[in-house]
Amino acid sequence: MARLAGKVALVTGGSKGLGEADARRMAMEGAQVIVADVDTEAGRAVADDIGQSAVFKQLDVSQEEAWKDLISEIERDYGQLNVLVNNAGIVEAGNIETQSAEDFRFVMAVSADGTFYGCKHAMRLMKKSGMCSIINMASIASVQGEPYVAAYSAAKGAVEALSRSIAVHCALSKYTIRCNSIHPSGIVTPMVMGIGQKVVSAGLISLEDLDAASQASKLGEPDDVAHTVVFLASDESKFINGAAIRVDNAMSAVAGIVPE
């Protein structure tokens, strides 16, 4: 079933993890997918493996001029952009006392600034591309208190709030563009699998406590998020706008408990 037939989709951070899963699933559903990433080798490998329905474009999402150039290139090559998945993100360990200003700015530049630039400059092309969908990757870190990733939590909170602002703007402007955010919990991706060791190395948690927490929390699979992305990218979700959709197996529905 080609649920995305005729649509052109751009996925940032598409070389691995959630971005790769999103790109593959959307291509399977008939979309022409642009896989964008700073990792040229890995991104090109993903696009080549997907085949004719995918191309790779190098993109540093934190650079506004790079966004302008890419959107112009997509307009030249395809004449439209129907789906934007702002997936690129980075996480660095640190609580409010230990997180360095440098790491904070880096995490915000990729997740928050990158999402802002993407939405801002894609809007120009999406306004004349028919039914369109912006999907911003947030996290349950914007919902719950996540003490060991302060900058990441702040960045994802910004993404969530920005998504609502964009949704209302588009509705008031009578644009056929929807904007929603997705909030996954822990998913089996390189970023998630690597943050535990970063937190331990930073001395924020013991290895024993990390192991206990890992055993208590069930991790999802990239396709759990990718199926949600396909739904939001399709016209099936045409009346969903400004939503914050949690893909977390009810993790964020449970009240946080702080050990004594």
Side-chain angles (χ1 to χ4, degrees), residues 6 10 83 96 163:
L10 168 60
V83 182
I96 190 58
S163 299

Short mmCIF file of all heavy atoms in Angstrom, two decimals, residues 6 10 83 96 163:
data_model
loop_
_atom_site.label_atom_id
_atom_site.label_comp_id
_atom_site.label_asym_id
_atom_site.label_seq_id
_atom_site.Cartn_x
_atom_site.Cartn_y
_atom_site.Cartn_z
N GLY A 6 3.61 9.90 -4.38
CA GLY A 6 3.59 11.25 -4.91
C GLY A 6 4.14 12.30 -3.97
O GLY A 6 4.21 13.48 -4.33
N LEU A 10 11.75 14.89 3.33
CA LEU A 10 13.11 15.17 3.77
C LEU A 10 13.26 14.73 5.21
O LEU A 10 12.46 15.10 6.07
CB LEU A 10 13.39 16.68 3.65
CG LEU A 10 14.66 17.22 4.31
CD1 LEU A 10 15.91 16.58 3.73
CD2 LEU A 10 14.72 18.74 4.16
N VAL A 83 6.78 16.53 3.06
CA VAL A 83 7.02 16.02 4.41
C VAL A 83 8.41 16.45 4.87
O VAL A 83 9.39 16.27 4.15
CB VAL A 83 6.94 14.47 4.47
CG1 VAL A 83 7.13 13.98 5.90
CG2 VAL A 83 5.61 13.98 3.91
N ILE A 96 22.17 20.04 35.66
CA ILE A 96 22.24 21.49 35.63
C ILE A 96 23.52 22.03 36.27
O ILE A 96 23.99 23.11 35.93
CB ILE A 96 21.00 22.12 36.30
CG1 ILE A 96 20.94 23.63 36.05
CG2 ILE A 96 20.98 21.81 37.79
CD1 ILE A 96 20.91 24.02 34.60
N SER A 163 6.77 23.44 17.89
CA SER A 163 5.84 22.69 17.04
C SER A 163 4.41 23.18 17.20
O SER A 163 3.67 23.33 16.23
CB SER A 163 5.92 21.19 17.37
OG SER A 163 7.22 20.69 17.13
#
